[in-house]
Amino acid sequence: MDTTQQFDAVAVIGLTKRYGRRTVVDHVDLHIPAGSVTGLIGPNGAGKTTVMSMLLGLVRPTDGRGTVLEHDLREPKAYMSQVGALIEAPAFYPNLPGRENLVHLCRLGGHDPSEIDGILDLVGLLGREGDSYGSYSLGMKQRLGIGAALLGDPRLVILDEPTNGVDPAGMRDIRAMVRRIADSGRTVLVSSHLLAELEHVCDHLIVLDQGGLRYQGTLAGLPATRDEVILLRGRMAADEERLVQLLRTGGHVVEHTATGLAVSVGDLDPATLAGDLNRTAADGGVNLVELHHRTESLEDRVLGLVGTGSRS
Amino acid sequence: MKRAFIAEWTRLARPRTWLIAIPFTILYSAVLTVVMIVTAPQRSFSGGVSIDALSQSGGGTLAVTAAVAFTSVLLLAVFVGMSAGAFSRGTWRASLLHHPGRMSLATGTFVARIAISAVIIVVLFVAGLATAYIVGPGQGVDTTNWLDAQSLRTAGEDMLRVLVFVTGWGLIGTLVGIATRSVPIGLGAAILWAGPIENVLGDNLQFGRDFFPGLLLRYVVTSDNAAVTGGALTLRLAAYGVVAAGACALLLSRRDVSS
């Protein structure tokens, strides 16, 4: 990835969409660094697709201003030639072969059709490009949709739930594909409600819930919702009681959990702390059967921000 | 607009399209030409198809021109299906991602569809003329004037009138498709209008005969019982055309593209 690019590929302030009295996107500020892979995450109904549609000029914002690739958000014609997208679901002519569908889009967009072979290779459809789109599996349709988004060598690629309906192996392939797209220097904005999906490909994250922005920044910066701890379990209950005394004497914050003890990491290095705890237990004659560092997954952190309820 | 035209033309003008459209057009033209000639009276005072009229210069394409009037529902269904289908299938949205100019995309696409229709009209006329040549003499039709200069001019005018008829119904179908964005709802509304409302209600009301767009389009291809002709007909159809195109433009430019 080209880290010398400093500008925001997308920089919008107060992006809002209302349908009558219903506010679908509520004053969202977005800053998507150029060259990043940014994940747009949130439960169903959070407003992800609407935000993407507004960036693509498909949905008119009720309010908000900003730029996409340094062009005014309200003039999508000025920047759409540099943007590729798969939005909502892949949409092609079912009676046309996959390749012919891409050729059709090349004619519409004035793209060079000679790039189609490379794109078909990238999305893993070389060899099946002559089959009619209607005969494709769901995964192949998604791949062709991603391929269509790459026509015209766009600087910004927007992918709306690209792994929707795809089997686990297909998901892994699509994740790798997204990474390859990003490695070619493009900015990628990818949405998903499957939290673990984005953890593997994104370096920047936007969390939406009920149309509002809950978090924006790096994955590492995502706020923790519970203390980071080292979990310990002794062979017997008496071992744990003795260990509590030893640890508290040593100044550690220790709590009982359903399965053992939890020692707060605080500002300490977890690996160093784990080593110290193991040594303390051994020196005190306590037999440990379990010692591990409990970290929060992206899912835990995001759920802490948005709650667990899906509204679809 | 040029890119949209070329893309749509190339998409539609595929061998498969012609393999379906041309035999169907030839069959339709032949059957209706035969029916029109066989059932034609010796003379008609309302300007319709008659043996006398068929025997004049331009008589060779008279039957097929009049037969086109029966295609209104088919034309409407085809154009509603294509335009509403683009919304329900998502291809309108996908196209906009590569061609964000909504008006030029819609105009180029529509013009390409009319251009395809123009090719089919030529096939329709050639098949109709050939059929009339075969069937006409047996029904007492004099075909000696059918290939003179006047006949060729008349054939050109007839094709142009059919093209206006197709464009008119195409525009109505496109508007219905854009307004409803649903193939079944659009088809239901279109068939209800073009069938019972235009043909039953319209034919029985003076206002309908004077102003219903479908009936005005019918007068373009057949002067049989025409309530409006000449400049008034042109003016009314032009006004409807402007209103329909304006409504399409308004709907396409103002509405959000989302499912």
Side-chain angles (χ1 to χ4, degrees), chain B residues 5-57:
Chain B
F5 174 87
I6 292 170
E8 185 68 0
W9 170 272
T10 316
R11 184 180 77 81
L12 290 176
R14 294 165 59 79
R16 184 179 156 153
T17 308
W18 298 128
L19 280 172
I20 296 168
I22 290 177
F24 177 78
T25 305
I26 291 171
L27 183 69
Y28 180 85
S29 178
V31 169
L32 280 182
T33 300
V34 168
V35 171
M36 298 295 278
I37 292 175
V38 168
T39 59
Q42 187 60 41
R43 58 178 59 86
S44 167
F45 298 104
S46 59
V49 178
S50 64
I51 299 298
D52 286 355
L54 287 165
S55 300
Q56 306 290 315
S57 284

Side-chain angles (χ1 to χ4, degrees), chain B residues 196-211:
Chain B
I197 294 178
E198 282 270 359
N199 290 309
V200 180
L201 192 62
D203 267 342
N204 290 299
L205 291 174
Q206 187 57 46
F207 175 81
R209 286 197 294 275
D210 288 347
F211 287 101

Side-chain angles (χ1 to χ4, degrees), chain A residues 120-142:
Chain A
L120 286 168
D121 189 26
L122 178 73
V123 299
L125 284 177
L126 215 51
R128 295 296 306 272
E129 76 274 19
D131 297 350
S132 68
Y133 174 72
S135 71
Y136 281 7
S137 67
L138 202 53
M140 291 166 74
K141 288 177 178 174
Q142 291 289 108

